[in-house]
Amino acid sequence: MDQNQLKLAVAAAAVEYTLSKINPDSIVGIGTGSTANCFIDLLAEHKNSFQAAVASSDASAERLRGHGIEVIELNAAAEITIYIDGADEANPHLELIKGGGAALTREKIVTAVANEFVCIADESKWVDFLGQFPLPVEVIPMARSHVARELVKLGGDPVWRENVITDNGNQILDVHHLYPVASAQALEEKINQITGVVTNGFFALKAADVLFLATQQGIVTHYPKA
Ligand code: 5RP
């Protein structure tokens, strides 16, 4: 199977799992990216099985609405039953790097609210240690150079993702050369303390609850390693 077929396979598995968790009153959280798009397209066949969706980006909201799925503001959702999203890297603790699609802040907010965070990915995303994928950091535009200098002090090599403005009107620095990250939780905390950082793409302080990984041998279900 090529990578696209793997993404479709894992999206199909996640739809089955989601259907086992939701009811017609449920609000489903939906992530961003090509794997999340596969999930959206397959979930659309079951749009009467839940009440509405909360999306982690304007792009996903538009795709959901295109399928006739109601999209509501997070503030209007009393509860999110389940949140499904992709990742750029995942380790055995189910700590992630996310934000390749620049949606990390809204993704982290929806993750914080959801009762369960289900990550879906193809096997190329599975790593022993995080950090080969450059870590996205969303910054307030006027703080970009300051944040970049602070990231250099932490051993990183930040690169401004020019021509990208996030859905929140901010900018992205991609931090290279962090590999291998010894403690993603410690680094997530440290980077978030830099003035001007909105958030960073480590999802380690709150990791995924379950990961469905598409491999050539089939879908493998991972739970966080203790
Ligand atoms: C977007 C994300 C995506 O989940 C991540 O980039 C993975 O994307 P894809 O499924 O296209 O590989 O974090 O901000």
Side-chain angles (χ1 to χ4, degrees), residues 7 32-36 85-88 98-104 107 122 125:
K7 287 179 184 189
T32 299
S34 54
T35 317
D85 198 1
D88 298 302
K98 291 183 47 53
L104 60 158
E107 290 169 347
D122 66 82
K125 310 295 183 67

Side-chain angles (χ1 to χ4, degrees), residues 61-134:
E62 199 176 311
R63 196 175 189 100
L64 286 157
R65 289 195 181 103
H67 283 297
I69 295 171
E70 186 188 353
V71 180
I72 62 168
E73 291 292 322
L74 179 60
N75 289 319
E79 182 179 71
I80 294 186
T81 307
I82 189 166
Y83 176 58
I84 298 92
D85 198 1
D88 298 302
E89 283 186 347
N91 73 13
H93 303 290
L94 305 195
E95 296 170 334
L96 314 172
I97 286 183
K98 291 183 47 53
L104 60 158
T105 299
R106 293 188 185 191
E107 290 169 347
K108 206 174 266 196
I109 294 168
V110 183
T111 300
V113 175
N115 295 344
E116 183 176 5
F117 173 21
V118 178
C119 185
I120 52 175
D122 66 82
E123 59 192 351
S124 71
K125 310 295 183 67
W126 183 248
V127 296
D128 286 331
F129 293 97
L130 300 175
Q132 252 160 4
F133 190 91

Side-chain angles (χ1 to χ4, degrees), residues 11-12 14-16 18-19 22 28-30 36-50 52-53 64 67 69 82 84:
V15 166
E16 287 311 306
T18 301
L19 290 174
I22 58 176
V28 178
I30 312 254
N37 282 346
C38 293
F39 178 79
I40 291 171
D41 295 345
L42 295 175
L43 186 71
E45 293 164 29
H46 307 276
K47 61 184 173 195
N48 296 324
S49 303
F50 56 100
L64 286 157
H67 283 297
I69 295 171
I82 189 166
I84 298 92

Side-chain angles (χ1 to χ4, degrees), residues 9 64 68 91 98 146-147 157 200:
L64 286 157
N91 73 13
K98 291 183 47 53
H146 164 69
V147 172
D157 183 6
N200 70 78

